[in-house]
Amino acid sequence: MTTITISRQLGSQGTQIAREVGTRLGFGVLRREVINEAARRAGAPEVALAAIDYLGLFDLHPSQEACRSYRQAVREVIEGLADEGEVVIVGRAGQVVLAGRPDVLHVRIIAPPDVRIKRIEALQDIPTAAARAQMERSDRTRREYLHCAHDVHWNNPELYDLVLNTERMTVASSADLICRALTECFDDRGDD
Amino acid sequence: MTDLTDPEGSQPSFAHPTEEAFARILDYYGIEWEYEPRTFVLERDDNGNIAAGFSPDFYLPMQDLYVELTTRRPNLVTSKNRKVRRLQELYPDVNIKLFKRRDIRDLMIKYGLDQHAEPILGTEAQEEP
């Protein structure tokens, strides 16, 4: 049973790539489900909104206790999913929670800032400045979550088996590489 | 959540611009919502008629959370806090959160969610490109 974690930047096409990988492999793709289930377990449903709100628009400030309970619940949910396997887990520090597990492939999806801004701009039909602001705020929110919750820097390549720069790659070619990496990592085990 | 791919789809009539702005944010994040879907009975008179009810502004089914919006005016907050507390006493299994809204117009403009919010509702714009 294998699991893939995908960490992605806004504008990197990471979510679409995760979906494509899930479709090809027949794996479930979980993103918000992890957040919602963890918040339910933590008994703090509003934390789910705070976790989704990477632009800070809800102005939510859950208590430290609620955040701790939520992070613990996220860990439990992610570990449970990995135990079942055949799943792509998007975000929520899956690369840290499942670090060291031999049955998990960790993928990071990035793109240069100017490429990301253009994608956000085109997709949402918003001005360049707004796209840049979304990107910067999203980066800050996600970086801080990794740092505060797990004391790691999300761009540390050692957290990942594979880092993909999608500047010149399509969703399909990126999914190709991830599927191939999965096959090579797990089919070759025990050959040495 | 309003499905703009459906030509028959339309936004509900919001009672307050704050509610509409909040709905836009929910749509931006791809969070399903229902507008005032339920009225909770808070009090009945001697004849069993409803004497006081409370209809939270939004229900978010995926989070199983009701949301009531309020401005930061103290008298309004106090009144709504009272209703929320009463609802929690009578319906302990219901999750509700009172959002004390600051003016987020500047933030919505900064992130391009003001005039361009409508066309992206329910689209891949929520898919974190």
Side-chain angles (χ1 to χ4, degrees), chain B:
Chain B
M1 183 161 48
T2 304
D3 178 6
L4 293 189
T5 61
D6 173 7
E8 301 298 320
S10 61
Q11 290 279 353
S13 296
F14 293 107
H16 193 278
T18 306
E19 295 170 358
E20 186 175 359
F22 190 79
R24 285 184 177 183
I25 297 169
L26 293 171
D27 282 334
Y28 171 77
Y29 286 126
I31 298 170
E32 286 182 39
W33 56 269
E34 298 167 19
Y35 182 64
E36 294 187 343
R38 180 176 172 187
T39 297
F40 293 91
V41 177
L42 298 185
E43 191 181 333
R44 290 187 185 274
D45 63 19
D46 293 342
N47 297 320
N49 300 315
I50 297 174
F54 181 30
S55 304
D57 295 320
F58 292 91
Y59 176 61
L60 315 181
M62 298 309 291
Q63 287 75 28
D64 188 22
L65 178 67
Y66 285 89
V67 170
E68 175 67 11
L69 303 176
T70 184
T71 62
R72 290 184 183 276
R73 279 183 297 171
N75 58 335
L76 203 55
V77 172
T78 303
S79 158
K80 291 203 173 182
N81 265 330
R82 197 177 301 127
K83 282 188 174 180
V84 166
R85 271 202 305 274
R86 184 66 180 143
L87 185 147
Q88 288 171 323
E89 287 167 6
L90 295 172
Y91 305 89
D93 294 335
V94 171
N95 299 310
I96 182 164
K97 173 77 179 172
L98 185 65
F99 275 57
K100 294 168 189 163
R101 302 299 298 154
R102 62 192 160 113
D103 188 349
I104 60 163
R105 195 171 31 199
D106 288 348
L107 271 182
M108 292 186 75
I109 291 169
K110 178 181 178 182
Y111 296 130
L113 303 181
D114 51 344
Q115 56 189 319
H116 295 286
E118 292 292 340
I120 67 171
L121 306 186
T123 72
E124 285 290 300
Q126 302 154 354
E127 296 305 323
E128 303 177 17

Side-chain angles (χ1 to χ4, degrees), chain A residues 8 11 19 31-32 53 134, chain B residues 28-29 111 127-129:
Chain A
R8 80 288 188 219
R19 289 223 174 94
R31 188 169 62 111
R32 294 281 171 75
D53 183 19
Q134 282 194 23
Chain B
Y28 171 77
Y29 286 126
Y111 296 130
E127 296 305 323
E128 303 177 17

Side-chain angles (χ1 to χ4, degrees), chain A residues 44-57:
Chain A
E46 76 276 12
V47 179
L49 293 188
I52 290 168
D53 183 19
Y54 57 80
L55 297 182
L57 296 167

Side-chain angles (χ1 to χ4, degrees), chain A residues 3 77-85 87 89 98 101 103-104:
Chain A
T3 295
V77 170
I78 288 177
E79 286 174 344
L81 290 167
D83 288 342
E84 291 178 18
V87 68
I89 299 170
L98 301 177
R101 281 184 63 141
D103 55 347
V104 182

Side-chain angles (χ1 to χ4, degrees), chain A residues 1-171:
Chain A
M1 303 299 274
T2 54
T3 295
I4 300 171
T5 71
I6 290 185
S7 165
R8 80 288 188 219
Q9 296 175 321
L10 186 68
S12 69
Q13 298 185 315
T15 305
Q16 292 94 320
I17 293 167
R19 289 223 174 94
E20 178 66 21
V21 169
T23 300
R24 291 187 189 195
L25 298 173
F27 284 15
V29 179
L30 299 177
R31 188 169 62 111
R32 294 281 171 75
E33 293 84 351
V34 173
I35 294 172
N36 292 335
E37 174 60 23
R40 264 195 293 272
R41 287 192 193 184
E46 76 276 12
V47 179
L49 293 188
I52 290 168
D53 183 19
Y54 57 80
L55 297 182
L57 296 167
F58 290 133
D59 194 25
L60 281 171
H61 306 281
S63 68
Q64 288 200 350
E65 186 185 342
C67 290
R68 266 197 301 274
S69 300
Y70 166 73
R71 286 199 291 265
Q72 178 58 33
V74 166
R75 178 176 286 278
E76 291 167 6
V77 170
I78 288 177
E79 286 174 344
L81 290 167
D83 288 342
E84 291 178 18
E86 298 195 347
V87 68
V88 180
I89 299 170
V90 182
R92 297 304 102 199
Q95 73 274 38
V96 181
V97 172
L98 301 177
R101 281 184 63 141
D103 55 347
V104 182
L105 180 77
H106 300 292
V107 180
R108 172 83 170 140
I109 300 177
I110 62 168
D114 57 334
V115 172
R116 297 167 59 201
I117 290 167
K118 279 182 186 155
R119 286 176 181 161
I120 297 166
E121 190 181 334
L123 199 56
Q124 298 184 26
D125 188 22
I126 58 176
T128 304
R132 179 186 296 279
Q134 282 194 23
M135 180 191 75
E136 289 174 349
R137 177 60 198 239
S138 166
D139 283 357
R140 195 176 94 200
T141 301
R142 292 175 182 179
R143 186 173 58 239
E144 286 177 354
Y145 178 79
L146 264 290
H147 179 71
C148 295
H150 299 285
D151 197 23
V152 298
H153 194 290
W154 72 339
N155 274 337
N156 178 0
E158 293 180 4
L159 296 173
Y160 309 100
D161 299 295
L162 183 66
V163 179
L164 285 177
N165 177 353
T166 62
E167 178 180 11
R168 295 189 294 172
M169 297 178 66
T170 63
V171 169

